[in-house]
Amino acid sequence: MRIGMVGVGYVGLVSGACFSEFGADVVCVDTDEAKIDKLRGGEIPIFEPGLEALVASNVAAGRLTFTTDLGDAVRGSDAVFIAVGTPSRRGDGHADLSYVYAAAEEIAGFLADDYTVVVTKSTVPVGTGREVASIIRRVNPDASFGVASNPEFLREGSAIDDFMRPDRVVIGVEEARAAEVLKALYRPLYLRETPAVITSLESAELIKYAANTFLATKITFINEIADLCEKVGADVQDIARGIGLDGRIGSKFLHAGPGYGGSCFPKDTLALMQTARKVGVPMRIVETVVAVNDARKGRMVDKITQACGGSVEGKTIAVLGLTFKPNTDDMRDSPSLEIVPGLCKGGATVRAFDPQGMGEAKELLNGVVWCDDAYSAMQGADCLAIVTEWNEFRALDFERAKALLAQPVLVDLRNIYRPEEMLEAGFQYYSIGRPVVNGAA
Ligand code: NAD
């Protein structure tokens, strides 16, 4: 089979590489010439574990190519996937569909008599698939095509494994013929008995938003339980374990922290909220989740401020981790983008380090002292704050850290250490939803 993948971002590049690994001939196209040049030169424009090797082997096998010429990706393809960005529209939180519609319009111009399925992989509000179909019909009334919605559930940091071993594949279609093309593409997964959920276009589109919003709600719920724990002397990790072992609840997404961020949850919760309002069914739970999560970043600034004795004025804070989660270089809507400026606004000097995110972070954060590693960030700092739980921060040398820090104060916004061990190690230790311990006293 031959497919075109429009957009080589986190989703398009991973999906394209994985489909080629399944044996399809994949032509990836992007309007960003710099990205395509890099890919042609064997360089991967994003950080995603395992992606470089996967791309290299499929390029070498002749199944994966990169171009800026959309015609190459569309002509003769059984399916063309739209995997472009759908960021929040400035001001109102609706999903910005301009990239999706522009791609649909351009694709339409290259469609011909051979039946092609135009598949939306981007996360798009209900109704977008039908709009894509009407755009194509308007631009090219003679085109032989079907439309499908095939939302993507991969997570940055484990994207390849998620794509290759998904919990399910969701396919929304209007006609059986389009479903057959997609089923053939995903055949290697059916052989592994991956469930396929075949639905209408509308249901497939909504499944993606419902899934992300549910997960964002679960995170926000445990974050509020953590706040309560801090007041009543309970331990949120015990609560998470105690409820997570209940099969009806499940243990995932019950890690209390600084609030969800990233390229999906913030914009998708907002977009669902706006869709629901637009059709007169406001979703109060989702609205509250969005508001609670927004406020949480400021609370993290307060937490660090409190650990510094009530003010960060003139203090130096070492910040470890800037990306919204480990194993990615993605900084989109990362909690650090509010926490770091909040600390600077309070008069602090921030010394920061992130293993992969600093290139992007330097474009987004001003007035930060950029450091080469975790220990150089700690040099002379009054407080050490762990904002992202990269593996390399999980086994810090406490003695070395204490020798570098001006004060042995650690604020662990990801609960990667245990209060008992930090007491033992001689730190004043603050975490999320667990008792404060003072081993420095
Ligand atoms: P991204 O911003 O990393 O990549 C989008 C790419 O599309 C860019 O390289 C851009 O240059 C390109 N592009 C835009 N218009 C184009 C056009 N007309 N022709 C060709 N290329 C074009 O975005 P992403 O993170 O890959 O997300 C893509 C979609 O997938 C979004 O809707 C997102 O919500 C969804 N999604 C993302 C993730 C994730 O973890 N990033 C997971 C699941 C779903």
Side-chain angles (χ1 to χ4, degrees):
M1 295 190 81
R2 186 180 198 275
I3 67 168
M5 184 64 65
V6 183
V8 291
Y10 289 85
V11 165
L13 185 53
V14 171
S15 306
C18 290
F19 277 133
S20 63
E21 180 72 12
F22 290 167
D25 288 320
V26 182
V27 181
C28 292
V29 60
D30 204 292
T31 44
D32 185 334
E33 283 184 26
K35 275 190 186 174
I36 295 297
D37 281 348
K38 277 189 181 169
L39 286 162
R40 281 182 165 158
E43 212 184 312
I44 304 295
I46 55 170
F47 174 76
E48 180 60 46
L51 190 55
E52 193 169 350
L54 188 72
V55 167
S57 70
N58 283 287
V59 167
R63 287 190 299 265
L64 182 60
T65 54
F66 301 101
T67 180
T68 51
D69 180 351
L70 182 68
D72 280 352
V74 178
R75 278 187 230 102
S77 285
D78 299 288
V80 178
F81 285 79
I82 300 177
V84 301
T86 49
S88 284
R89 206 160 66 185
R90 235 181 253 151
D92 64 10
H94 278 286
D96 178 353
L97 295 173
S98 56
Y99 301 100
V100 173
Y101 292 153
E105 204 163 322
E106 291 160 28
I107 290 166
F110 295 104
L111 293 172
D113 299 344
D114 303 336
Y115 182 79
T116 305
V117 188
V118 179
V119 191
T120 307
K121 203 162 229 342
S122 300
T123 302
V124 294
V126 172
T128 306
R130 277 186 204 283
E131 183 59 23
V132 164
S134 75
I135 289 171
I136 297 172
R137 267 194 294 272
R138 174 173 52 76
V139 175
N140 186 351
D142 299 328
S144 167
F145 76 101
V147 289
S149 163
N150 173 223
E152 183 48 57
F153 297 93
L154 64 77
R155 295 160 300 172
E156 289 170 21
S158 54
I160 295 170
D161 207 48
D162 289 346
F163 194 96
M164 298 280 197
R165 288 176 195 75
D167 293 334
R168 78 307 205 183
V169 172
V170 174
I171 295 173
V173 282
E174 290 188 281
E175 54 186 15
R177 196 173 174 191
E180 290 314 314
V181 172
L182 280 162
K183 279 194 201 160
L185 261 176
Y186 280 109
R187 206 178 126 68
L189 296 184
Y190 296 145
L191 298 178
R192 280 191 209 136
E193 300 187 353
T194 305
V197 182
I198 314 274
T199 71
S200 66
L201 287 172
E202 286 75 12
S203 296
E205 288 166 343
L206 195 51
I207 284 169
K208 175 65 191 176
Y209 282 102
N212 273 2
T213 304
F214 188 84
L215 295 173
T217 303
K218 211 171 166 190
I219 294 171
T220 307
F221 175 80
I222 201 68
N223 283 341
E224 286 206 312
I225 292 285
D227 292 348
L228 182 60
C229 285
E230 287 177 17
K231 294 286 180 206
V232 299
D235 182 326
V236 72
Q237 281 182 309
D238 290 338
I239 312 292
R241 188 167 145 73
I243 63 173
L245 285 168
D246 185 327
R248 294 169 301 177
I249 296 173
S251 59
K252 299 205 171 129
F253 285 78
L254 286 181
H255 301 287
Y260 62 77
S263 64
C264 293
F265 288 178
K267 78 174 176 60
D268 293 349
T269 44
L270 267 184
L272 181 64
M273 184 177 118
Q274 295 299 4
T275 298
R277 275 190 195 167
K278 199 167 135 195
V279 297
V281 190
M283 298 180 71
R284 283 157 56 201
I285 292 176
V286 183
E287 302 205 357
T288 304
V289 164
V290 169
V292 169
N293 194 66
D294 279 352
R296 190 155 187 86
K297 326 290 170 48
R299 292 176 68 104
M300 297 301 107
V301 176
D302 294 345
K303 189 181 250 309
I304 296 169
T305 306
Q306 238 123 72
C308 290
S311 166
V312 291
E313 177 81 51
K315 301 266 169 75
T316 298
I317 317 287
V319 169
L320 300 189
L322 297 163
T323 50
F324 78 99
K325 67 172 178 181
N327 292 327
T328 182
D329 56 352
D330 199 341
M331 284 293 298
R332 286 178 281 186
D333 268 317
S334 176
S336 70
L337 293 177
E338 292 193 39
I339 295 171
V340 170
L343 294 171
C344 293
K345 201 167 157 220
T349 299
V350 172
R351 297 174 62 82
F353 169 70
D354 186 281
Q356 292 291 338
M358 291 211 299
E360 187 72 14
K362 284 178 187 172
E363 308 281 317
L364 301 166
L365 292 168
N366 297 319
V368 172
V369 181
W370 301 105
C371 300
D372 292 336
D373 61 36
Y375 296 101
S376 63
M378 292 177 209
Q379 185 75 53
D382 300 286
C383 170
L384 170 61
I386 297 175
V387 177
T388 315
E389 68 278 33
W390 285 89
N391 270 344
E392 65 180 82
F393 305 148
R394 288 180 185 272
L396 293 173
D397 177 337
F398 298 142
E399 288 310 314
R400 189 173 167 201
K402 274 197 297 184
L404 288 164
L405 290 165
Q407 308 288 337
V409 177
L410 172 54
V411 182
D412 177 1
L413 300 184
R414 300 291 182 166
N415 288 352
I416 62 177
Y417 291 108
R418 284 180 295 114
E420 312 83 74
E421 72 181 321
M422 299 318 294
L423 184 68
E424 176 98 345
F427 276 83
Q428 198 173 324
Y429 177 72
Y430 301 79
S431 55
I432 304 286
R434 300 184 304 175
V436 176
V437 295
N438 192 352

